[in-house]
Amino acid sequence: MIHAQGLRRAFGTAQARRWVVDNATLKAEPGEFLAVVGPSGSGKSTLLGILGTLDTHYEGQLTIDGRDIRSLSDRELSSLRGEKIGFVFQSFHLLENRSVLDNVAVPLLFARHPPSRRKAFSVLEQVGLSDRAQELTANLSGGQRQRVAIARAIVHGPSLLFCDEPTGNLDAVTAEQIIDLFVSLHRQGGVTVLCATHDERIANIATRVLRMDEGRLREQR
């Protein structure tokens, strides 16, 4: 599903360049649940941005589902994200002045063959929020917002799900509920999950754990 070889990403000027991702190599097979752990500033989020095709200013090789990412146009990259990839972020990135249902339906606007909004409602049922479909997201709790974000990420049936600190802004009980939801989604759908996290509970449910330190990636378990 993912094959990355020698990925490097630097920030700063030519005189003061810092390699945030330094020669990272990994393979992710269909259906795997990979946790990328490490301290803040180690490069986890930057790595996920590259693997998720959000950041294209990198060195090295990256193929997703057999497609060389460097060979794709902006339009082809957008199409790949719309068909294959879902994202869940720590800070949710929801449209606060729109309904829960509207937020979940956003990815359907970019699908080549968009399903009806009934699909968005059925995914809300899956994450336990169908009774809040018409509520503004601004009125929801942190855990509910993250459930909306997860529903938005999976509504178009992606084969890849990237999660960046999905429990970072949640209390322990709510975080446990979100982790249980990830376990359920992974088992039911067979989606490949890559999750950057400080949360050892997520690392414990992953099928494989990678550790990142100062931009370097290595197998931990």
Side-chain angles (χ1 to χ4, degrees), residues 15-218:
Q15 293 75 25
R17 178 173 291 185
R18 175 174 174 254
W19 291 100
V20 179
V21 175
D22 192 3
N23 198 33
T25 294
L26 68 85
K27 288 184 179 180
E29 301 295 339
E32 279 197 286
F33 191 133
L34 273 65
V36 182
V37 301
S40 295
S42 60
K44 303 187 303 296
S45 294
T46 302
L47 177 65
L48 248 64
I50 294 171
L51 297 175
T53 74
L54 297 176
D55 183 351
T56 57
H57 300 285
Y58 63 87
E59 298 178 10
Q61 296 178 320
L62 174 63
T63 60
I64 295 178
D65 200 24
R67 304 177 72 179
D68 181 357
I69 298 306
R70 285 205 180 281
S71 70
L72 302 181
S73 66
D74 288 344
R75 185 169 184 172
E76 288 171 327
L77 276 176
S78 295
S79 178
L80 177 66
R81 295 185 200 109
E83 295 173 11
K84 300 278 186 181
I85 299 175
F87 298 94
V88 179
F89 302 99
Q90 179 178 354
S91 53
F92 317 137
H93 295 312
L94 300 176
L95 302 172
E96 298 289 320
N97 62 340
R98 301 301 297 267
S99 73
V100 167
L101 187 62
D102 285 343
N103 272 269
V104 175
V106 165
L108 303 182
L109 300 174
F110 305 97
R112 182 177 300 178
H113 304 291
S116 69
R117 285 168 65 88
R118 174 64 196 172
K119 173 63 175 177
F121 189 82
S122 69
V123 174
L124 279 176
E125 290 179 321
Q126 190 175 353
V127 301
L129 283 178
S130 58
D131 61 328
R132 298 297 187 98
Q134 301 305 326
E135 185 133 10
L136 294 181
T137 56
N139 298 334
L140 302 183
S141 68
Q144 289 169 332
R145 291 185 186 194
Q146 192 60 292
R147 286 176 179 270
V148 175
I150 292 169
R152 180 187 59 191
I154 64 173
V155 69
H156 58 301
S159 50
L160 276 170
L161 184 61
F162 292 96
C163 309
D164 192 4
E165 298 289 359
T167 59
N169 284 336
L170 306 177
D171 62 79
V173 173
T174 305
E176 197 71 48
Q177 294 170 349
I178 295 300
I179 291 168
D180 289 344
L181 180 57
F182 277 126
V183 171
S184 175
L185 292 172
H186 181 250
R187 289 175 177 171
Q188 292 175 15
V191 64
T192 302
V193 181
L194 276 83
C195 185
T197 184
H198 287 96
D199 197 326
E200 287 299 324
R201 292 167 297 182
I202 293 181
N204 289 337
I205 65 170
T207 57
R208 193 150 53 99
V209 179
L210 306 174
R211 182 165 188 86
M212 205 153 192
D213 285 299
E214 297 184 347
R216 296 276 183 162
L217 189 67
R218 63 179 174 82

